[in-house]
Amino acid sequence: MRKVNEIKTFNDKEAKVTKTTDELTGLEKVEVLYGARDDMNQPIAPESDQDGHGTWIALVEDGEYYVCYWKRAAYEGGDIEEDDFDKLKQTIDAKKRIIKEAQETQDETNWSVGMGKYKELMNEWKQLPYFRTHFEHKYWEEFQAAQSHFYDALHADREKNKAAKEELIKKAQELENSEEWRKTTKVFKELMDEWKKVGSCGHEEDERLWTQFHEANKTFYDRKKEHWETLQPIYGAAKEKKEALIEQAKAISDSTEWKKTSEEMKGLMDKWREAGFAGQDNDALWEAFNGERQKFYQARQKYFDELDSVHSTNAEAKKKLVDEAERIAHGLDFSRDNTNRMKDLQAQWREIGSAGHRKENELWKKFREAMDLYFDNLRQYGGR
């Protein structure tokens, strides 16, 4: 829009000047109708519903006039010299839409999505006409306010991420000379996991901070590798010893000489501890060695569990014999039937088998006492 410093009436004393408020911009709008002619080509007062007059329209802002439309009068040729109303409306509508989208994006926390959206909106804004009016600044300020809200949040997030990464760098640097290899390796892995979770600080800062963090990691792992290489001969010797112990364990793992083999397995375990650490093969070697040990111990456990079950069954059976023998012995009936029954109980006792060392002795003592009581009384009282 062209800017002028006065209302144009084109020296027409009959010109009609109307001032209203423009609905689109909210600015004062001045409309001038001029150059109307009658049939004799004499100047007359123009009317808006007549043809032939010229129309000049301007928006007023801070005492300056921005010409939006100018159509010459018929006697001047009727040409349209200025026509920016449609362009102005389209521009304002577009800027309002861009502002709305900018405001809808200002709380976006997916930063790459937000930055992409604002770049797209800014490119659209730059392609729109600029009429050099003051009221247009209001739209620009609204657009900038939404952008600033987003980028302030982005900056705060990057500062937070920067602080988090600097703290991780500090921890890594404090550990880079550690000789607690296993423990520190675990900590460095945890620090790396934390690093991956921290968001961006911006490309350049990310690169700078990563270099520092990576250097601390590399210093530790290079030292760990060097230390590892010096230990390989020691680990190799330990591996050979442990492989030999595995073979020895394998040779006796099927043995049923429970006591002897248990002592041998205990001796092999002592030698295993003395053999030392075998490096990265240590866990696999232990699994093989312990597998042979467990094979023997499980078989031993199964044997004794089964033996305990037999002993328990035998103990129940012998307890019944004890109960019957005591009943007969205390009954003072020395009949031939009872005497033969007591002899049968002794035969059954021998057939049942062991009830286990402790139970066997306890039950045998009671059984023997009942037998002795009966047969002593039988002899004393002449029982048949």
Side-chain angles (χ1 to χ4, degrees), residues 112-356:
S112 59
V113 170
M115 287 189 290
K117 182 63 175 179
Y118 280 114
K119 181 179 179 181
E120 173 190 322
L121 294 176
M122 181 59 79
N123 287 336
E124 284 190 60
W125 189 280
K126 289 178 180 178
Q127 292 171 12
L128 294 173
Y130 177 50
F131 297 100
R132 303 186 182 282
T133 61
H134 296 297
F135 81 85
E136 289 179 276
H137 292 305
K138 175 175 67 76
Y139 298 120
W140 172 248
E141 288 171 358
E142 290 180 13
F143 179 50
Q144 282 292 82
Q147 281 197 108
S148 296
H149 181 90
F150 170 80
Y151 282 105
D152 285 348
L154 170 60
H155 179 70
D157 183 71
R158 286 184 169 178
E159 286 298 309
K160 179 195 70 175
N161 295 338
K162 179 182 177 182
K165 288 185 176 182
E166 287 174 340
E167 182 62 25
L168 292 174
I169 290 168
K170 180 182 176 183
K171 291 179 180 179
Q173 290 172 340
E174 290 172 351
L175 291 170
E176 64 184 2
N177 292 315
S178 170
E179 293 184 357
E180 295 182 84
W181 308 110
R182 185 184 295 272
K183 177 182 176 181
T184 306
T185 297
K186 181 176 181 293
V187 175
F188 265 107
K189 288 180 179 177
E190 290 170 352
L191 292 178
M192 181 61 76
D193 289 340
E194 289 184 50
W195 184 277
K196 292 175 181 177
K197 293 175 184 177
V198 178
S200 174
C201 310
H203 180 72
E204 290 185 6
E205 277 294 276
D206 284 341
E207 290 294 319
R208 183 181 69 81
L209 294 171
W210 167 251
T211 297
Q212 294 179 36
F213 184 67
H214 178 68
E215 285 176 356
N217 274 261
K218 187 174 185 301
T219 297
F220 170 74
Y221 283 108
D222 285 349
R223 291 178 54 254
K224 179 183 176 181
K225 180 181 178 183
E226 183 179 346
H227 173 73
W228 183 270
E229 288 173 349
T230 62
L231 293 177
Q232 289 313 298
I234 299 173
Y235 292 162
K239 180 181 178 182
E240 289 182 6
K241 291 178 184 178
K242 289 188 172 183
E243 286 174 338
L245 291 173
I246 290 169
E247 292 303 316
Q248 293 176 48
K250 188 181 295 184
I252 61 174
S253 62
D254 291 324
S255 171
T256 56
E257 295 182 79
W258 309 119
K259 184 174 181 181
K260 175 186 174 185
T261 307
S262 293
E263 291 299 319
E264 290 176 351
M265 282 293 186
K266 183 177 180 299
L268 292 178
M269 187 70 240
D270 292 339
K271 291 180 181 179
W272 183 274
R273 294 191 183 99
E274 294 169 0
F277 188 64
Q280 61 184 6
D281 297 316
N282 200 70
D283 289 346
L285 291 168
W286 167 250
E287 288 182 10
F289 177 66
N290 193 49
E292 297 300 329
R293 291 175 68 248
Q294 294 307 315
K295 180 181 178 183
F296 166 74
Y297 289 124
Q298 288 170 7
R300 186 186 70 172
Q301 186 64 44
K302 181 180 178 183
Y303 169 79
F304 283 109
D305 286 346
E306 292 174 350
L307 189 60
D308 285 345
S309 177
V310 171
H311 286 166
S312 180
T313 301
N314 292 345
E316 287 296 322
K318 287 188 173 182
K319 185 178 183 305
K320 290 180 181 179
L321 297 183
V322 170
D323 291 342
E324 186 174 354
E326 288 178 339
R327 181 178 56 78
I328 294 173
H330 290 286
L332 300 178
D333 180 0
F334 306 108
S335 64
R336 185 180 300 276
D337 288 341
N338 279 345
T339 300
N340 289 336
R341 181 56 185 163
M342 291 293 268
K343 291 178 180 177
D344 288 341
L345 293 177
Q346 292 181 62
Q348 289 179 34
W349 185 279
R350 289 190 291 271
E351 292 172 0
I352 288 174
S354 175

